[in-house]
Amino acid sequence: MNYQVANKFKLFLYAIDFVGSLFFFWKKFKKVHFEKIKKIAVIRLDHIGDCILTFPFFDNLKREFPNSEISVITRQSNKDILELSKSIDRIITLNPPWFSREKNKFSDLLKFIKLNYKKFDLVLELHSDPRNIILASLIGKYSAGYGIRGFGFLFNRVVEYSEQKEHTIQRNLDVLAGIGISVKFEYPNITLKEKEIRETKNLIINNLPKPKTQNPKLVCISPGAGRKDKYWLNEKWAELCNKIVEDYGATIVFTGDKKEEQNVAEIKSKMNSKKYIDLCSKTNLKQLCAVIKNCKLVISPDSAPIHIAKALSVPSIALFNLEEPFIWGYNNGKNISIFKNGIKNIDVEDVISHIEKFKLLE
């Protein structure tokens, strides 16, 4: 097994998996009959960006099982974005004790398992988390996924984890290929209603600094990320915003959740211009999508807005720190990733040069 964990844990996991495989060897002999699959569940309990990158997975799954009910088990915080997938029939919310920022109780997890015990014909798990794997084995008659963090013996089908570095979209699709489904690589796609786009544009126009215009050139700046090591310096954000306003005549639209309010306030305090709109913590996920759709460019660290922009065909620049962009980012068309060994080593001129090179604000 090609374990994707620290070396000090590998021997321990090998021992657990060896013993587990002796007790659960019979699982590997169970066959999956595609024609009998009516209820499918996909476990996706991680972050918003991960959910968006799973959209192609759901599209491929729906093409294979057009008459089956496809459910996603996810946290409450992901519900809005997953509602934008045309291939998901049902969203089931679960805030597990091991991976949740929302209030939760262990008793709620037990109640969930009791309610859904062996309810699904097929359960697919994409995060390779042993706790998710245990959940998948309890609620699914047949389950599959990667076993790279251990406990793969609980799956009926352990999918081989490629040694080659792959984009996360392809890594997800490999799970489907691993159970015998033909897959097609594609990028996420989100379609918004024209009414949502129009209403959000009106909201933006009403909050524009004077003099107002009906067709402002908007640049979305979303400085937040899920981890502190992904943060760029606020001084650099402010310098970048100044250049975008002064050199391109654009208006900055700040987005982010409540915990980003202080960062955005500091960036604004360092700007020369007041040509910005602060929507930080003022939009839900669907409204954020509509805001991004009204922008000419999105600039952010590796986080949800980058994936939303790609899914909406809006140009973007992603600032990467540790994860290579060819795993999580984009470098095709006008969706660009900038990578240096440490995000703080990325300079403002690095971003401006990409804006110029790809004519992103013309």
Side-chain angles (χ1 to χ4, degrees):
M1 172 64 68
N2 179 23
Y3 290 116
Q4 300 295 304
V5 296
N7 287 331
K8 62 182 179 181
F9 296 120
K10 288 184 178 180
L11 185 58
F12 174 72
L13 287 178
Y14 178 82
I16 290 230
D17 282 357
F18 177 76
V19 174
S21 65
L22 296 178
F23 283 93
F24 293 92
F25 69 93
W26 52 270
K27 278 180 167 280
K28 303 301 181 286
F29 293 99
K30 187 172 183 178
K31 303 295 183 183
V32 58
H33 300 282
F34 285 177
E35 70 278 3
K36 295 182 179 179
I37 292 176
K38 300 300 178 185
K39 289 183 176 292
I40 302 171
V42 178
I43 298 176
R44 189 85 273 190
L45 293 169
D46 27 14
H47 303 294
I48 296 168
D50 299 292
C51 290
I52 297 170
L53 288 173
T54 316
F55 277 30
F57 177 93
F58 286 114
D59 293 341
N60 276 269
L61 190 60
K62 195 64 175 178
R63 280 195 289 269
E64 182 70 26
F65 300 101
N67 300 317
S68 299
E69 181 186 71
I70 297 176
S71 301
V72 58
I73 299 171
T74 192
R75 293 183 291 151
Q76 180 66 37
S77 56
N78 297 328
K79 186 173 183 289
D80 280 356
I81 201 71
L82 287 167
E83 286 177 348
L84 296 175
S85 170
K86 63 182 183 297
S87 299
I88 296 173
D89 301 306
R90 185 177 175 217
I91 297 175
I92 304 169
T93 57
L94 172 67
N95 297 320
W98 60 86
F99 195 9
S100 180
R101 293 171 183 168
E102 296 86 1
K103 292 182 179 179
N104 57 78
K105 297 178 182 177
F106 190 74
S107 58
D108 291 338
L109 174 63
L110 295 178
K111 183 179 178 181
F112 176 88
I113 293 172
K114 183 179 179 181
L115 184 65
N116 293 283
Y117 182 75
K118 300 300 180 184
K119 181 177 181 179
F120 300 97
D121 302 309
L122 174 63
V123 177
L124 301 169
E125 200 283 320
L126 302 178
H127 191 61
S128 312
D129 188 303
R131 295 160 295 190
N132 292 358
I133 294 173
I134 293 170
L135 177 63
S137 70
L138 290 171
I139 66 174
K141 298 171 187 173
Y142 189 97
S143 59
Y146 294 119
I148 56 171
R149 295 187 180 98
F151 282 70
F153 58 85
L154 290 174
F155 281 138
N156 298 101
R157 176 75 173 90
V158 178
V159 177
E160 183 179 353
Y161 190 89
S162 173
E163 296 279 355
Q164 296 180 338
K165 288 186 177 181
E166 296 181 325
H167 196 280
T168 304
I169 293 171
Q170 184 62 55
R171 188 72 73 187
N172 291 337
L173 294 177
D174 286 350
V175 173
L176 293 181
I179 60 171
I181 295 174
S182 297
V183 296
K184 174 187 175 185
F185 183 93
E186 52 199 359
Y187 288 107
N189 180 267
I190 293 174
T191 302
L192 299 176
K193 295 177 181 177
E194 287 300 322
K195 181 182 177 183
E196 295 172 332
I197 299 171
R198 185 172 60 253
E199 288 177 351
T200 303
K201 185 174 182 179
N202 291 335
L203 170 68
I204 292 170
I205 290 173
N206 290 338
N207 285 278
L208 281 173
K210 295 180 180 179
K212 296 183 179 182
T213 175
Q214 290 300 308
N215 292 295
K217 185 187 292 185
L218 303 173
V219 175
C220 175
I221 297 291
S222 186
R227 301 199 314 260
K228 290 296 182 183
D229 60 355
K230 292 184 177 184
Y231 277 60
W232 207 28
L233 296 172
N234 286 343
E235 292 78 6
K236 291 188 176 182
W237 279 121
E239 183 183 347
L240 175 64
C241 290
N242 284 333
K243 283 185 170 292
I244 289 172
V245 170
E246 294 165 6
D247 296 350
Y248 302 98
T251 299
I252 304 298
V253 181
F254 290 107
T255 62
D257 56 23
K258 192 166 185 63
K259 71 178 186 296
E260 298 307 322
E261 288 180 346
Q262 184 175 345
N263 273 334
V264 169
E266 184 177 337
I267 293 168
K268 292 190 300 184
S269 70
K270 297 177 183 297
M271 288 177 61
N272 301 328
S273 171
K274 301 296 182 184
K275 200 174 179 182
Y276 56 73
I277 304 167
D278 186 357
L279 296 181
C280 197
S281 77
K282 296 175 183 175
T283 62
N284 58 35
L285 276 173
K286 288 182 180 177
Q287 290 169 330
L288 173 62
C289 290
V291 168
I292 288 174
K293 186 63 179 177
N294 279 290
C295 291
K296 287 188 69 67
L297 175 64
V298 175
I299 308 175
S300 172
D302 170 28
S303 61
I306 293 302
H307 304 300
I308 293 172
K310 178 63 178 176
L312 290 169
S313 299
V314 174
S316 64
I317 296 177
L319 311 182
F320 274 83
N321 181 18
L322 300 177
E323 289 86 357
E324 294 95 333
F326 55 81
I327 296 176
W328 293 98
Y330 312 97
N331 264 316
N332 58 331
K334 292 192 174 183
N335 297 98
I336 300 149
S337 299
I338 300 176
F339 173 72
K340 283 191 175 181
N341 187 19
I343 192 169
K344 290 174 181 157
N345 291 325
I346 297 175
D347 297 320
V348 171
E349 284 307 318
D350 293 324
V351 181
I352 295 298
S353 66
H354 282 79
I355 293 175
E356 288 290 318
K357 178 179 179 181
F358 294 97
K359 305 183 186 306
L360 299 181
L361 286 177
E362 288 190 351

